[in-house]
Amino acid sequence: MTTSTTPPQSFSRSDIDPYSLDNLLDRSRVQREVRETAPIVYLNEYGVYATGRYDTIREVFADWPHYQVGAGVGLANFHTEKPWRPPATPTETDPPEHDAPRRVLTEVLGMRALRRLREQWTEEAEEVVDRLLAAGEDIDAMADLASAFPLKVFPDAVGLPAENRNNLLAYGDLVFNAFGPQNEHFHSGAARLTELSQWVTTLCQRESLSPDGFGAKIWEASDRGELTADQAPLVVRSLLSAGIDTTVHGIAAILHAFATNPDEWQRLRSEPQLARRAFDEAVRWASPLQFVFHTTSKRVELEGVELDQHSKVMLLIGAGNRDPRRWDDGDEFTLTRDPSGHLGFGMGLHQCVGQHVARLEAEALLTVLIDKVSHIELAGTPQRGVNNTLQTWKTLPIRLTT
Amino acid sequence: MRTTLGGGAETMSPNGFGQAAALRVEAREQVAENIISLTLADPSGNRLPPWTPGSHIDLILPNGMARQYSLCGNRWDTYHYRIAVLREPNGRGGSEWIHANVDEGDILGYGGPRNHFPMVPAEQYVFIAGGIGITPLISMIEQAVRTGRSWRLLFGGRSRQSMAFLEELERYTEHVHIAPQDEVGLLDLDDWIPGLDPGTKVYCCGPTGLLDVVESACRKCPPYTLHTERFEAPAHESSQDRSFILKLQRSGIELEVEPGTSTLDALSGAGIGIISSCRQGTCGTCEVPVVDGIPDHRDSVLDEVDRQAGDCMIACVSRAHTPQLTLDL
């Protein structure tokens, strides 16, 4: 842990542990305590600063020269600790190294590529939903829908082989656990670390990727010299690390939102054009990515607090996305709200480059469900999953009525 | 700071600007004979969208002309853009207008930044500039220095007096070859192009004649060695912050988008809530489908093919070239 951040006594401190099991199962206590104590809070347990205020989080995101990602977007500070894998590209690179990988990904995941996928994904969604409805009303929305659909369409779009796709979830779980401390949650997945890392490294090679997918397009960019040959597999890896679990849990979040807000489902059915808004509202409300870290590049003042060079700042996205200073009734999921400007996809220079892909996946699925499902309700008590960074469901029993 | 559906007047962007994008001229400096530089900032003091070396912005002049200028300032200064403008008496009038009329304190519309001349990773760089073509290269040089890549610059111009940024380049004497035509004649590329080490990228910007010569000199180099930027008049060079009519095909609504109001806010005012995020034309969240009319694209996200297709636009910053625009909403 970093020791360079020793604040003066006058400072707001907290003993709360955002990574304790209780707080991972229910994030509300951490969100509230960090957000309401002060704009900036020093977390004694980990020796890092934290903020849960909407405006402060935005300021850190926007001020990319002062708050960098190159020292890791997790708790580990790469200025003093060696990363467990080569840093993610472009997620954990700052300008100028950030430029080329970001540009290539932006292009590969651009509007035209997505327009081509829209129809195809709606058909795929229809197949998945029809199959489910034929099998019966009660499903585990986590496994049968939220995982099943993205795990089919996204790896296809990347151009991955059909085998072992469930490994992608295990890998993603591991990656996002590793952004937290090396606690039991990290260790529970770490047994497969070497195996899964090797598997993913192999997948990122040109030979593993079908010729027409996002992955191949990234390699083609490196043929044209737009990326180095070393960068290409890391950029492909970023698709696999950041493009699966987050979407899976985003889709689970919206299914949970409708199962627990039946009026909103009826409203969406009568106003299907709200599908995009619904997904963004779910991402705001549930914030699948709960925490992300930036690191100061030099001594800098934030909210009246002097932060030393190379201080880690933990951004509690889930807290900012419900900050009452920004959102009326932020704890409510409602289609009345305009969730524009939520922090669920980050903001600014490093804002999620795949956000439009996630929206398209969710929109395809919602469009089909709107057509075929009149009621969504809980069919049992959902069980939270445990992950250091992501807010997840382990099981989400719901009943779909046609 | 709260956004409510349908509350057009109350709708405020999280970063505080609800109007169509504009820049304020903070400083005007003469940087060479016939070249001025303009330092530009957001009129409300907000940060500007980030950019990368090789990026340009469209400046939208009050007379309706839209002109592209490379950014040549410090990208780590997130509050300012800097451009350099050569007065071209035989040009199409944009630079003449700027030289004659633009003063500190003026507000100009803008679009972008966009980058059609991106710097790709390389082991070393050869930069070749002709005259005002130095502008995109100046920030590339900065980047090469920062990343510790070796680089050389060949910079030609009519005379020293007509060449911008010579002072900035002074500290790099051993990397820079200044070649004013009145002293040494036309640029001699023989020492620069043949026998380039593999892994070298050549970036060239300047008059068409120079680009043609460099292109033919690079013909024997490995593919993708040479990167050039040719400024060509865009298909729709006029662009204004005038009002236009927005027709919403599916909801049957018609509304007027006033100058100074963004398309996004006009839609929101009419009860059509479009999800947005950056409000600076950089993230693409508020893309809307266009079915008729020609969008005046001012975003940083759509690529050239999408822009030409004209079937979508980014509502937070873009406007219309035609008096009417029909959206599939």
Side-chain angles (χ1 to χ4, degrees), chain A residues 58-59 62-64 95-96 99 103 111-112 115 224-226 276-277 324 326 328 339-341 351 355-356 359, chain B residues 1-3 5 14 47 52 75 115 118 120-121 143 147 224 273 275-277 283-285 287 303 306 312:
Chain A
R58 272 192 75 109
E59 169 61 18
D63 190 1
W64 59 267
D99 299 346
R103 178 185 161 77
M111 308 284 176
R112 256 174 312 145
R115 233 168 269 143
R224 293 189 301 269
E226 294 168 27
R276 275 177 79 125
R277 163 180 299 206
R326 169 66 178 81
D328 288 327
S340 291
Q351 189 169 18
Q355 59 178 305
H356 309 308
R359 285 199 183 96
Chain B
M1 290 289 284
R2 295 207 163 107
T3 343
L5 176 62
R47 282 194 186 83
T52 50
R75 65 188 288 206
N115 198 340
V120 301
Q143 186 121 315
T147 50
Y224 307 111
I275 298 286
S276 68
S277 183
C283 75
T285 302
E287 180 198 346
D303 67 17
D306 288 321
C312 68

Side-chain angles (χ1 to χ4, degrees), chain B residues 236-306:
Chain B
H236 294 283
E237 59 179 49
S238 78
S239 189
Q240 254 178 317
D241 289 350
R242 56 171 176 248
S243 66
F244 60 97
I245 303 292
L246 211 49
K247 287 187 159 181
L248 308 181
Q249 187 165 268
R250 274 189 278 158
S251 34
I253 297 174
E254 244 187 65
L255 53 117
E256 188 172 358
V257 184
E258 303 276 356
T261 301
S262 71
T263 307
L264 182 70
D265 286 339
L267 286 168
S268 165
I272 310 286
I274 304 289
I275 298 286
S276 68
S277 183
C278 72
R279 286 195 163 241
Q280 294 186 310
T282 59
C283 75
T285 302
C286 60
E287 180 198 346
V288 291
V290 176
V291 287
D292 194 36
I294 301 170
D296 173 2
H297 296 291
R298 299 193 185 174
D299 58 278
S300 319
V301 274
L302 294 182
D303 67 17
E304 224 27 63
V305 179
D306 288 321

